[in-house]
Amino acid sequence: MKKNYSNLFKPSKKTISKTISLLKAKKLVAIPTETVYGLAGNAYSDIAVSKIYSLKKRPKKNPIIIHYKSLIDSFKDVEINQNLLKLFKKFCPGPITFVVKRKKNSKISRYAHNNLETLAIRFPANKITKKILKKIEFPLAMPSANISTQISPVSAEDVYEEFKNKIDLILDSGRSNIGLESTVVDVTNNIKILRPGSIGIKEISKVLGKKVYTAKSPNKIKSPGMLKKHYSPGIPMVINHNSLPVDGAYIVLGKKFIKNSNVFSLSISSNLREAAKNLYITMRKIKNLNYKKIYVAKIPYKGIGIAINDRLKRASKK
Ligand code: AMP
Ligand code: MG
């Protein structure tokens, strides 16, 4: 069936201007970031933020990351924090989100933070999205552009598959570079990784010169978004599976088994960054090929492999 991509646009002066007008009118747009595609709305507007929750069918208690063009801008909404300054200097703009103390007089819509004392903030690196942020006078509330608990989109077509024509505009800037959601780090007290990502615990610890903890079990208050089931392809998934299955697709790393038509390699050269970039696109492809089950080989628990394992574990939750 031919798809009607009438709301997909390549970034140009005209389409970027249209994106900005829609955002100013409190409408939602899907825009690229280096991690995954985001569903963006004016973070100061209750109307826009409410639309994000309803369109994504996102639980109201799951707060949304706020995206800024600059550190200075974010200080309208959050308290200055030394750890944030150090990590910002090293990694931003980039794929890292900071949980910091929210200012009492912040104008961010309460729907976006659900009255928590904290705010999650990020400074995306994608050129197009940076350009948009520079031309608007408000930060963007922007979770991933997918229905809640499902696979995150890493291309404009993925976003279309999620929302069809329910959003006016999807900016198509090709595949997301990283392909996994940002690292979320809580810098309010002890430094804690709430969600692993491409920037790892070791790199963060090195910059701060102190121990960094990993949130073991989902912490309700600190990170309500750490839902156990997430990133799910909507069909059963079995992880750490080491033999060729006969009743489903098999996601592997490297070359073993790839001559079989039901085997999909995340990276022929076993490169974990490439594997991360290919993970969601591969899961989506397998689902669209109508497989009824996905098996996944063991992925090394190192570097970005830690983030891949985190997503696989949640995607396989029943
Ligand atoms: P996502 O569901 O991908 O948008 O993930 C957002 C992540 O940031 C989740 O882990 C949220 O719990 C976390 N987060 C967002 N806003 C806040 C906040 N105000 N305080 C603490 N964590 C937050
Ligand atoms: Mg998401």
Side-chain angles (χ1 to χ4, degrees):
M1 195 177 63
K2 199 170 179 324
K3 286 169 185 153
N4 172 19
Y5 289 142
S6 58
N7 52 349
L8 255 68
F9 298 97
K10 294 274 179 211
S12 68
K13 226 176 170 169
K14 198 168 151 202
T15 58
I16 291 176
S17 270
K18 170 89 177 147
T19 309
I20 291 166
S21 317
L22 288 166
L23 287 168
K24 286 185 175 165
K26 301 177 181 169
K27 301 234 168 112
L28 305 185
V29 293
I31 56 177
T33 85
E34 67 277 25
T35 58
V36 301
Y37 273 68
L39 180 65
N42 179 343
Y44 290 150
S45 159
D46 286 348
I47 295 171
V49 176
S50 302
K51 279 186 201 157
I52 296 178
Y53 282 93
S54 56
L55 193 60
K56 272 181 69 79
K57 302 193 176 83
R58 185 177 173 95
K60 294 234 160 48
K61 63 174 190 334
N62 187 357
I64 296 175
I65 298 171
I66 310 300
H67 294 67
Y68 293 89
K69 63 172 176 288
S70 69
L71 194 55
I72 303 264
D73 257 29
S74 73
F75 290 141
K76 286 180 195 152
D77 299 312
V78 302
E79 303 286 353
I80 294 186
N81 171 306
Q82 291 307 315
N83 295 316
L84 166 65
L85 295 182
K86 285 183 198 158
L87 292 172
F88 179 92
K89 200 166 164 207
K90 177 76 183 174
F91 299 120
C92 293
I96 183 162
T97 295
F98 307 99
V99 170
V100 270
K101 206 159 180 303
R102 181 166 56 89
K103 272 191 175 156
K104 288 267 178 321
N105 62 355
S106 150
K107 287 194 294 190
I108 298 292
S109 163
R110 68 199 151 94
Y111 296 120
H113 55 69
N114 196 22
N115 295 321
L116 293 172
E117 286 180 358
T118 49
L119 201 62
I121 63 170
R122 179 154 109 82
F123 309 88
N126 179 285
K127 270 195 201 139
I128 311 291
T129 291
K130 264 167 73 178
K131 216 179 226 175
I132 294 166
L133 281 166
K134 274 191 191 144
K135 290 189 180 159
I136 51 181
E137 263 104 59
F138 46 85
L140 292 174
M142 180 161 65
S144 52
N146 58 285
I147 307 289
S148 189
T149 79
Q150 314 255 330
I151 310 173
S152 296
V154 291
S155 73
E157 290 82 3
D158 291 356
V159 179
Y160 183 84
E161 200 172 289
E162 294 288 322
F163 298 123
K164 306 287 186 308
N165 290 83
K166 287 185 192 151
I167 25 183
D168 295 313
L169 182 148
I170 303 169
L171 267 192
D172 177 4
S173 117
R175 283 274 298 281
S176 303
N177 253 332
I178 294 172
L180 285 186
E181 301 78 2
S182 60
T183 303
V184 180
V185 56
D186 176 4
V187 294
T188 50
N189 291 304
N190 280 335
I191 313 298
K192 213 181 300 152
I193 305 287
L194 303 181
R195 172 172 75 190
S198 69
I199 295 175
I201 187 164
K202 280 192 193 143
E203 292 160 272
I204 291 173
S205 171
K206 196 171 162 200
V207 171
L208 297 179
K210 58 174 119 177
K211 187 164 166 56
V212 174
Y213 299 85
T214 303
K216 280 280 179 314
S217 58
N219 174 326
K220 273 204 197 106
I221 303 211
K222 275 296 178 203
S223 202
M226 291 171 74
L227 302 173
K228 278 195 184 142
K229 183 186 157 90
H230 213 144
Y231 320 114
S232 160
I235 50 175
M237 243 175 101
V238 177
I239 55 176
N240 299 322
H241 185 88
N242 286 326
S243 57
L244 182 68
V246 290
D247 62 338
Y250 191 26
I251 296 181
V252 300
L253 191 64
K255 291 199 203 74
K256 205 173 168 191
F257 300 123
I258 57 167
K259 292 221 167 88
N260 299 279
S261 64
N262 66 332
V263 175
F264 301 81
S265 179
L266 295 177
S267 164
I268 297 288
S269 61
S270 298
N271 178 304
L272 285 173
R273 293 216 164 255
E274 186 182 22
K277 185 169 175 173
N278 286 331
L279 178 66
Y280 290 147
I281 216 114
T282 306
M283 282 164 62
R284 208 176 264 278
K285 183 164 147 195
I286 291 171
K287 187 187 171 183
N288 290 341
L289 285 169
N290 273 324
Y291 279 97
K292 299 289 177 254
K293 199 165 180 180
I294 305 182
Y295 293 84
V296 191
K298 207 172 165 73
I299 306 292
Y301 199 81
K302 62 170 190 214
I304 199 169
I306 296 173
I308 297 176
N309 274 293
D310 168 77
R311 306 307 190 272
L312 288 173
K313 199 167 149 202
R314 286 171 215 260
S316 66
K317 271 268 162 355
K318 291 192 183 106

